[in-house]
Amino acid sequence: MLSPEMNRMLTRVENGAPMGNLIGRFWIPALLSEEIAEPDCPPVRVGLLGHRLVAFRDSEGRVGLLDARCPHRSVDLFFGRNEQGGLRCVYHGWKFGVDGACVDMPSEPSTSPMKAKVRARAYPVHESGGIVWAYLGPGQAPAAPDIEFMSLPESHVYASKRLMRCNFMQALEGSLDTSHLTFLHQMNLMSKDVFGVGDFQRFSDADGAPRFFCADTPYGMSISARRDGDDDTYYWRVTQWLMPVGVLVPTAPGSVCRANFFVPIDDRNCWWYRIRYQPERPLEQEEIEEYDTGDLDYSRRVPGTYESIGNKENDYLIDRGKQRAESFTGIPSAQLQDIAVQESQGEIADRSIEHLGTSDTAIAQTRRRLINAAQALEEGRMPPEALAASQYRIRAIAITLNRTRTFDEAAALAQLPPVQGTREKMK
């Protein structure tokens, strides 16, 4: 459990809170590329770490991310006109480029030097993997992380997002928690080989209490969860935590890889970005159609939003009859099950009343690492993980190995070879 003071340190991101300052030192997803798909398309509101921002794509296809308040009279630039190389405020016509420079000030005399002095606050952006990434920290942005899907062809990657009405930390903890798969998602995983289900189905019922081995890494943490397999094997799931808000989810070798990012909008809401990618081939049309409609067609979004049709107001579409006969929860998709349990913890979970067990080892260590890093930053020490752009040559794997193999060896199989090399054959 955490004291109320430490829980505030862990969860609060607004108004200069230490955790918000820490997350701002990393590149984080700001919006999907599809939200501003065309040059001169309408601008989009963006909420990050309690900041009100606006994103737009200019006439040349460049992306801008600005403070939503016009520096003239604080009018919301979301109502602006995206035209001819900039975003023009509708109140007095002041116009700003993607770098925040004022490129037109028609309400002032042409001889006024004011235009050269006024800037909208602009944040560095990086577009890859179907996502516009942003850096909200001070000073020069570090190099963008070299995560595998960020350099793959567009045809190999599918990015989506969903709104979660809870603090980012409980969403992140849900993705780091391997042991819940045995229970929360029981029956949903059996129809597809998403997580390496063949072995998972065989071993999870017999061993619902995996043993955890956590190793700190330059980018965050490698989390190895071991279940008993056959007489001479263990079933391993190696999850990668990409500090502060990213998770690579274990999948069987050859399956579509998965990544999650849980990005704070404010203290009580976050975005869940889901990235599926296949390094060896383009995604098939059948796979894309499945992602478009959502798991079992129940996680589709409300039209015009990124919120799931199943939500708190309709109890996430729970069916008590199916809970008795077909599904452990009665909630119709794995994604919706995750959203239901994490939102049910409250907008900000009270960790002072918890009772953690051995299956919560990774969660406890993640909390400690984040709190320590936020406190260090308050003392003026830059988190080295924010500069670990070259350390992301990793995957998350689900694999069955002989019992002679150690957790270090299991984790090593998730390392990718140099770009020029060939991938080590998994045994």
Side-chain angles (χ1 to χ4, degrees), residues 55-363:
F56 68 102
R57 192 181 297 275
D58 75 3
S59 306
E60 298 180 22
R62 299 173 299 184
V63 176
L65 183 66
L66 308 180
D67 189 303
R69 298 167 295 185
C70 176
H72 180 204
R73 299 271 294 280
S74 295
V75 168
D76 192 344
L77 288 173
F78 167 77
F79 297 105
R81 296 170 61 92
N82 184 11
E83 58 185 19
Q84 298 175 333
L87 188 60
R88 189 183 295 277
C89 180
V90 295
Y91 202 12
H92 297 92
W94 291 22
K95 183 178 177 181
F96 302 92
V98 295
D99 61 354
C102 185
V103 297
D104 194 21
M105 193 177 282
S107 65
E108 293 296 314
S110 60
T111 56
S112 171
M114 192 174 178
K115 184 176 76 171
K117 299 178 180 179
V118 173
R119 299 183 68 89
R121 181 164 186 182
Y123 295 90
V125 295
H126 171 81
E127 190 170 11
S128 64
I131 293 171
V132 176
W133 304 75
Y135 175 76
L136 271 62
Q140 184 175 353
D146 183 23
I147 306 171
E148 186 175 25
F149 67 82
M150 296 175 73
S151 59
L152 291 176
E154 183 178 336
S155 60
H156 292 230
V157 183
Y158 184 98
S160 62
K161 73 177 187 180
R162 286 293 182 270
L163 177 66
M164 295 188 67
R165 298 193 179 279
C166 64
N167 182 262
F168 82 98
M169 194 63 204
Q170 55 221 60
L172 173 64
E173 290 173 353
S175 195
L176 294 173
D177 176 7
T178 293
S179 63
H180 82 269
L181 297 177
T182 304
F183 303 96
L184 183 68
H185 303 319
Q186 194 177 124
M187 296 305 295
N188 294 90
L189 297 180
M190 306 315 171
S191 60
K192 304 170 190 155
D193 195 23
V194 177
F195 297 118
V197 169
D199 283 348
F200 184 88
Q201 182 176 4
R202 285 202 297 138
F203 302 138
S204 62
D205 286 345
D207 188 0
R211 272 65 69 195
F212 284 85
F213 306 85
C214 301
D216 285 339
T217 66
Y219 53 82
M221 191 186 305
S222 179
I223 304 164
S224 300
R226 190 191 75 193
R227 286 179 168 85
D228 289 337
D230 297 319
D231 290 342
D232 59 348
T233 64
Y234 287 128
Y235 175 65
W236 293 91
R237 293 179 58 79
V238 181
T239 301
Q240 307 288 357
W241 173 44
L242 311 182
M243 186 174 174
V245 296
V247 180
L248 300 184
V249 180
T251 54
S255 300
V256 174
C257 299
R258 290 155 46 94
N260 293 327
F261 286 81
F262 302 96
V263 182
I265 300 170
D266 51 34
D267 289 345
R268 292 172 169 79
N269 299 276
C270 68
W271 290 116
W272 176 5
Y273 285 83
R274 305 177 79 193
I275 303 97
R276 289 96 153 185
Y277 57 103
Q278 175 50 270
E280 282 80 29
R281 59 168 175 80
L283 292 171
E284 297 173 358
Q285 186 60 36
E286 181 180 350
E287 293 169 324
I288 294 172
E289 289 175 357
E290 177 190 328
Y291 305 150
D292 279 338
T293 58
D295 297 336
L296 301 179
D297 207 35
Y298 287 107
S299 294
R300 291 174 299 161
R301 53 182 168 147
V302 176
T305 77
Y306 285 93
E307 185 167 10
S308 293
I309 290 175
N311 53 60
K312 181 178 180 181
E313 284 66 36
N314 56 30
D315 293 321
Y316 309 95
L317 305 176
I318 189 170
D319 184 321
R320 296 293 185 179
K322 290 184 177 180
Q323 186 180 36
R324 287 190 296 270
E326 299 177 21
S327 160
F328 192 74
T329 64
I331 297 171
S333 76
Q335 181 183 33
L336 208 52
Q337 291 158 6
D338 284 326
I339 293 174
V341 298
Q342 289 150 25
E343 290 186 350
S344 77
Q345 293 172 299
E347 292 180 328
I348 303 176
D350 181 359
R351 291 171 175 80
S352 69
I353 61 174
E354 292 179 327
H355 296 81
L356 301 186
T358 58
S359 64
D360 303 305
T361 299
I363 290 171

Side-chain angles (χ1 to χ4, degrees), residues 9-43:
M9 171 70 78
L10 181 67
T11 59
R12 303 306 170 97
V13 299
E14 299 180 44
N15 302 317
M19 191 57 63
N21 291 339
L22 174 69
I23 295 172
R25 297 285 185 142
F26 293 77
W27 286 95
I28 56 176
L31 69 160
L32 297 172
S33 295
E34 69 180 32
E35 296 181 68
I36 47 172
E38 302 294 334
D40 292 331
C41 64

